[in-house]
Amino acid sequence: MIWTIVVLAVLVLVLFGFWVSWRASRLDRLHNRVESARTALDLALVRRSSAAADLASSGMIDPATSLLLADAVRRAR
């Protein structure tokens, strides 16, 4: 009788360990996905602000819009 309880307790602990390990690996994968998405968004913001800065300094748009665009670029960076 006592061996049955010990074996069941060990089995429950092993299953709980597998479950915790599985959850931890899922959380790690989620963390990696969030970090890569954040990096991609940051790179897109830098590219767009660079393009907007080029447009603001090109002289192809009126001065008022150029100032507004340059201010938006400065706030984005």
Side-chain angles (χ1 to χ4, degrees):
M1 178 72 177
I2 191 76
W3 288 105
T4 306
I5 294 173
V6 170
V7 168
L8 286 176
V10 169
L11 182 63
V12 166
L13 287 175
V14 167
L15 289 176
F16 182 71
F18 280 129
W19 181 77
V20 167
S21 174
W22 174 70
R23 296 293 287 183
S25 67
R26 286 179 52 93
L27 184 62
D28 188 49
R29 285 194 308 258
L30 176 63
H31 172 73
N32 290 336
R33 286 174 44 191
V34 167
E35 286 297 318
S36 64
R38 181 176 291 169
T39 301
L41 286 172
D42 190 44
L43 288 174
L45 179 64
V46 167
R47 281 193 310 267
R48 289 177 183 175
S49 67
S50 176
D54 289 343
L55 179 63
S57 64
S58 70
M60 297 178 66
I61 53 178
D62 62 294
T65 306
S66 178
L67 284 175
L68 289 174
L69 190 57
D71 183 52
V73 167
R74 182 191 55 80
R75 283 185 284 130
R77 288 186 180 169

